[in-house]
């Protein structure tokens, strides 16, 4: 299968669910034209299809390896990265001040979907660099910005994120890496970080690590963590590359998927200490890292869309070719293509609908990021910032969960050939599995949604959001279009279920936090189903207004009638399932 970027689908979601026309006409995206967005996405699609996609399977088979202390990426990787940087792709959303193109986040998110569909293991490298750029731009000193941002924006240098340690994964408060002030404004870092994506490689002549560590007098827990910029090579005053810093890659993990992405054990300070520079304030490193993590969480959610899209394209192509069994249109004595069987059609519709719903959630989150950064009215910016906060865990967890589910369905459509590596369906499934784990596991996302986002502004943020979903449901109902079937009714039930579960959780959080957290994961799913269903319905309404294209209407109706219809059960699980979830004590569970 050759991957093809779904530019028309993306543009349709941008215009219907993400309200692109409004952003272009009200000046939020001043200086940007719809045609420019389409042209950028078409070029991103060409790059994905022509440069990245051909390396998808070969990169998986070779993998990245540690050879004589250096990470060697698969054949073709270095050249593809050079083409990526030369094409200016690293500069897409970065600010003009540092050499970027200052394009909106919706464009960067959509382009990210495309590159990660074409090659997930490759796409991770720029994904992390973009996050590092955001963090340095937001909190770095002027000197750090001037020295590092221009080269990171051009893609000459890549960035990494160093949080995880062997005993500190989800609980970063446990991290032990230490940083000793040198009295000259620099620090020396000591410690081991694990699972560091693209921690080392030979594609660029420098790598800029952002590292969490503790100062000698730091308070324990998350309040004692600072963030440091640690370059692989020190940079001389004139900007040229200087001495090698005291940071090495001590190992590359063997793993289930994304074999071409080097997942590194990084050792800081094996000799005199790795020289680092403070980013932001002492002991406030986690706050800075959150800037990077929120952007990265949306980007990882988008990777869920990427794998789902790739799996759907691959399964659809296979289902058109593979012949088994007779169908209504089969000639006597002949088998028909499996795409004609109702059960395969259901699977392909489910794959398509989940992919499009997750894409809409990610692009709406990106849209709110643009409004939060660019709107002229401060109240509008604040409102959008709350929306970003609310939607980020859903974008991350819902999209990556469905990424795995859709990839699994893709294997199923291939039958036995799906289990054989040759077709590539198995690789998509293996690659997808990391997405619910890194960038904050999906369990942690669900707890964030319930514990931090639901109480935002006393529950007003979520209530306002649900109110908007309800308005779209009313529009669907009022449209009275026979081709919409039971879309209005089913989405109405889903949004009502979301409202009821939200109210219940709001109360439970005060009285019995364990019961609230026991329902966090089904609640996040319910949130994703209600939101995704409504966003697809906005696409159906737009399609109906524009002459009634069949596809967006069919997908939205299918989602409402076949997928969002699970909302009532999820609400019951949230409200009535906590007691039995917690019935067996941890001791009984471990017996
Ligand atoms: C391929 C790969 C690439 C990675 N890239 C990077 C990278 O570039 N930089 C980096 O810093 N890290 C990276 N990571 C690390 C990744 O972010 C962590 O694996 C992840 O945050 C989970 O931490 P953990 O593995 O220690 O799992 P744990 O924290 O041990 O979690 C195990 C399970 O317990 C659950 N859990 C943990 N705490 C709680 C809680 N309080 N309440 C409820 N449930 C809980 C989790 O949801 C999970 O299901 C990468 C990991 C992999 C595998």
């Amino acid at each position: 299968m050759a991957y093809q970027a779904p530019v028309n689908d993306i543009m349709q979601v941008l215009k219907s669910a993400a309200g692109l026309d409004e952003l272009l006409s009200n000046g939020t995206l001043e200086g940007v034209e719809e045609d420019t967005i389409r042209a950028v996405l078409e070029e991103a699609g060409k790059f994905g299809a022509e440069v990245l996609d051909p390396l998808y399977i070969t990169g998986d088979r070779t993998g990245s390896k540690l050879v004589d202390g250096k990470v060697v990426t698969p054949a073709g990787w270095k050249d593809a990265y050079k083409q990526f940087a030369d094409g200016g792709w690293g500069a897409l959303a970065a600010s003009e001040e540092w050499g970027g193109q200052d394009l909106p986040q919706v464009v960067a998110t959509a382009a990210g979907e495309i590159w990660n569909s074409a090659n997930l293991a490759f796409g991770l490298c720029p994904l992390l660099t973009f996050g590092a750029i955001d963090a340095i731009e937001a909190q770095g000193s002027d000197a750090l910005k001037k020295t590092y941002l221009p080269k990171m924006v051009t893609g000459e240098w890549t960035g990494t994120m160093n949080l995880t340690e062997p005993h500190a994964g989800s609980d970063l408060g446990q991290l032990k890496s230490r940083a000793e002030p040198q009295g000259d404004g620099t620090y020396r870092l000591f410690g081991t970080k694990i699972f560091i994506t693209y921690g080392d490689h030979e594609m660029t002549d420098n790598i800029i690590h952002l590292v969490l560590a503790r100062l000698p007098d730091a308070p324990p827990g998350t309040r004692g963590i600072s963030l440091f910029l640690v370059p692989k090579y020190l940079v001389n005053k004139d900007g040229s590359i200087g001495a090698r810093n005291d940071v090495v890659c001590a190992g590359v993990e063997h793993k289930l998927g994304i074999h071409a992405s080097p997942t590194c054990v990084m050792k800081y300070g094996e000799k005199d200490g790795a020289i680092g520079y403070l980013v932001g304030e002492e002991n406030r490193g986690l706050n800075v890292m959150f800037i990077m993590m929120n952007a990265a969480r949306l980007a990882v959610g988008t990777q869920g869309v990427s794998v789902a899209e790739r799996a759907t394209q691959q399964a659809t192509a296979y289902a058109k070719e593979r012949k088994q069994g007779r169908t209504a249109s089969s000639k006597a004595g002949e088998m028909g293509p499996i795409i004609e069987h109702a059960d395969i059609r259901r699977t392909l519709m489910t794959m398509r609908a989940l992919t499009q719903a997750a894409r809409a959630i990610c692009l709406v989150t990106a849209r709110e990021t643009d409004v939060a950064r660019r709107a002229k009215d401060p109240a509008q910016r604040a409102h959008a910032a709350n929306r970003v906060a609310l939607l980020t865990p859903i974008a991350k967890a819902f999209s990556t969960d469905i990424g795995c589910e859709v990839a699994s369905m893709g294997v199923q459509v291939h039958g036995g050939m799906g289990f054989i590596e040759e077709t590539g369906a198995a690789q998509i499934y293996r690659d997808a599995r990391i997405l619910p784990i890194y960038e904050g596991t999906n369990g942690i996302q669900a707890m964030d949604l319930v514990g931090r986002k639901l109480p935002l502004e006393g529950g007003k943020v979520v209530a306002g959001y649900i109110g908007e979903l309800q308005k779209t449901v009313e529009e669907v109902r009022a449209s009275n279009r026979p081709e919409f079937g039971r879309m209005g009714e089913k989405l109405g039930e889903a949004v009502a279920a979301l409202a009821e579960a939200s109210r219940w959780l709001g109360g439970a959080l005060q009285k019995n936090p364990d019961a609230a957290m026991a329902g966090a994961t089904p609640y996040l799913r319910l949130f994703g189903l209600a939101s995704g269903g409504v966003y697809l319905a906005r696409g159906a309404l737009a399609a109906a207004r524009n002459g009634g294209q069949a596809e967006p209407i069919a997908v939205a109706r299918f989602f409402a009638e076949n997928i969002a219809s699970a909302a009532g059960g999820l609400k019951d699980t949230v409200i009535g399932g906590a007691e039995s979830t917690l019935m067996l004590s941890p001791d009984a569970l471990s017996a």
Side-chain angles (χ1 to χ4, degrees), residues 7 9 57 82 127 132 170 185 190 205 217 259 299 371 434 455 484 493 499 504 586:
V7 175
D9 287 1
I57 291 181
K82 187 173 177 326
L127 185 157
S170 303
F190 302 86
D205 58 10
D217 54 352
H259 291 153
V371 177
I434 183 57
F484 282 7
E493 286 168 13
W504 184 85

Side-chain angles (χ1 to χ4, degrees), residues 175-182 186-189 212-219 224-228 278 281-284:
L175 69 84
K176 291 186 183 150
S177 290
R178 60 194 171 84
E180 289 178 3
Q182 299 301 295
T186 68
Y187 297 78
R188 290 208 181 235
L189 275 85
L212 289 180
R214 281 182 191 288
L215 292 166
D217 54 352
I225 297 174
S226 305
L227 181 66
F228 300 89
L278 185 70
E281 290 171 40
E282 290 186 351
N283 298 331
R284 311 250 320 147

